[in-house]
Amino acid sequence: MKIAIIGVGSVGSAVATAVKNTGLVHEIVLFDRDSARARAAAEDLGHAATFGFDVKISAVNNYRGVRGSDIVIISAGANQKPGQTRTDLLQNNAEVIRDIVPKVMANVDPKRVILILVTNPLDVMVMLAQSIAKLPPARVIGTGTMLDSARLRTILSRYLSVSPQSVHSYVLGEHGDSSVVDWSSVTIGGLSLDDFCKQTKNPLSVSTRNTIEYRVHNAAYEIIRGRGATWDGIGAAVADLLRSIINDEHRILTVSIVSGTGSNISAMSLPRVVGANGVLVTLKPKMSVAESNALRRSGRIIQKNFSHI
Ligand code: NAD
């Protein structure tokens, strides 16, 4: 299994580390328009590899080096500076995707390659990449709200004093400020959230739920304020997504692909079954009327942003 990572800044390096540590790939190639940066990352990661799985890691200085890749991860482009939203990156990163995707597609097998998008604003970049690559939407996958869902699971699990592994909860819609916490579909040990709280005599008040939502929505801003960028969480999320693809695990992940019909076509995150051929099935989650309305609003925001590039 050969994978390519395009854009080897904070995120691309963290992705490379996390992917290398899965032991599932035999070759990782790194490309960055800053070739010295890609070479340095390949050198450093290559040294790290001697302590773990035997993975061949190299920097390439043109897109011919991407040939033979089964999966291409795009993590290039500007990141948020303190105070910036993901949407502020729209025009700049649209140019980055327009630059990268045709060059990648000229060097991979369109019948089997899977593109994984990480660049923000994520959902619009998925729409753009899919329209340029002309691949089936199921094989142009954005990490979407995987990270937001992980943040929700972590925060909720601390309030409920259970392991995050026992919490099933999803953040849906845009990977951005309009994302929707789907309280209606939360289950813990097979129980609904309300049942679990009743049985454990640990009620979650409305204000606690609001605090949890606030923390989920603002997690990236907090991390960027403290360490300049976010990278470890997204690195782990990409490795998790890759595992489901490479092992054909059929895991249910909140990834973003282009879907919908008529005037409702948009990329956004919903719970989707992911396997060797990319997204296999999209699930319709249980939602309240307010949550469904918020999800529709989120879709409209993504469409509007897409129409501006
Ligand atoms: P960074 O500035 O550290 O690295 C970006 C890299 O992209 C740089 O090395 C730059 O040289 C390279 N690059 C820019 N344009 C390029 C091009 N046309 N071709 C090849 N390489 C190019 O930024 P980062 O912190 O690594 O963030 C990268 C992206 O990931 C940002 O858009 C950020 O917002 C996004 N991100 C997404 C998530 C998520 O959950 N989806 C999480 C964190 C960050």
Side-chain angles (χ1 to χ4, degrees):
M1 174 71 56
K2 173 176 174 177
I3 69 152
I5 301 176
I6 313 296
V8 200
S10 311
V11 171
S13 302
V15 165
T17 300
V19 169
K20 172 179 72 59
N21 291 343
T22 64
L24 291 174
V25 303
H26 78 272
E27 183 173 5
I28 302 177
V29 296
L30 308 176
F31 176 85
D32 197 290
R33 70 176 174 195
D34 179 347
S35 51
R37 192 174 199 183
R39 273 199 307 278
E43 189 81 353
D44 203 6
L45 283 155
H47 301 159
T50 60
F51 297 104
F53 294 105
D54 185 15
V55 188
K56 183 178 165 211
I57 302 173
S58 55
V60 294
N61 55 16
N62 63 58
Y63 280 88
R64 282 194 303 281
V66 165
R67 277 186 193 160
S69 297
D70 304 284
I71 299 175
V72 178
I73 299 163
I74 302 178
S75 49
N79 58 13
Q80 290 163 265
K81 305 294 172 281
Q84 269 189 320
T85 68
R86 295 176 181 90
T87 310
D88 292 332
L89 310 171
L90 190 62
Q91 302 303 343
N92 183 88
N93 286 351
E95 283 315 307
V96 171
I97 297 300
R98 285 191 182 106
D99 170 42
I100 293 171
V101 173
K103 293 173 183 164
V104 167
M105 290 311 298
N107 287 285
V108 292
D109 178 356
K111 290 200 184 67
R112 65 185 181 94
V113 73
I114 292 183
L115 301 187
I116 294 181
L117 273 291
V118 181
T119 304
N120 277 319
L122 190 276
D123 305 281
V124 179
M125 297 303 122
V126 170
M127 292 177 80
L128 181 60
Q130 196 271 328
S131 70
I132 298 170
K134 297 190 172 47
L135 290 174
R139 286 195 279 122
V140 183
I141 309 174
T143 46
T145 53
M146 281 184 74
L147 192 48
D148 313 68
S149 295
R151 286 169 180 156
L152 176 62
R153 282 175 87 180
T154 313
I155 298 169
L156 204 47
S157 74
R158 287 183 192 144
Y159 276 96
L160 300 174
S161 301
V162 285
S163 154
Q165 266 71 27
S166 300
V167 176
H168 288 90
S169 61
Y170 299 125
V171 178
L172 307 174
E174 185 194 18
H175 172 60
D177 294 340
S178 73
S179 66
V180 181
V181 173
D182 185 14
W183 291 105
S184 302
S185 70
V186 175
T187 60
I188 298 123
L191 299 177
S192 71
L193 181 58
D194 287 344
D195 278 352
F196 181 86
C197 290
K198 232 177 265 166
Q199 288 191 29
T200 55
K201 299 184 177 44
N202 181 11
L204 274 193
S205 66
V206 172
S207 82
T208 304
R209 288 184 192 214
N210 290 342
T211 304
I212 292 171
E213 278 203 40
Y214 177 85
R215 287 182 57 197
V216 170
H217 283 131
N218 286 283
Y221 292 109
E222 288 295 322
I223 296 167
I224 290 165
R225 241 195 308 278
R227 71 192 305 215
T230 73
W231 58 84
D232 287 322
I234 187 62
V238 173
D240 205 40
L241 172 56
L242 272 190
R243 206 160 31 230
S244 196
I245 295 171
I246 296 171
N247 291 337
D248 197 20
E249 287 179 9
H250 292 212
R251 305 250 316 277
I252 296 171
L253 304 170
T254 53
V255 290
S256 179
I257 62 167
V258 176
S259 58
T261 51
S263 60
N264 288 326
I265 293 176
S266 168
M268 64 153 73
S269 289
L270 288 169
R272 305 183 195 268
V273 181
V274 180
N277 293 321
V279 170
L280 308 172
V281 179
T282 293
L283 304 175
K284 196 168 181 295
K286 195 171 158 194
M287 302 188 93
S288 67
V289 173
E291 287 159 350
S292 297
N293 288 340
L295 189 66
R296 270 194 290 278
R297 180 178 162 269
S298 191
R300 283 195 298 273
I301 289 171
I302 297 163
Q303 284 177 319
K304 190 168 144 231
N305 288 338
F306 182 63
S307 73
H308 286 167
I309 56 170

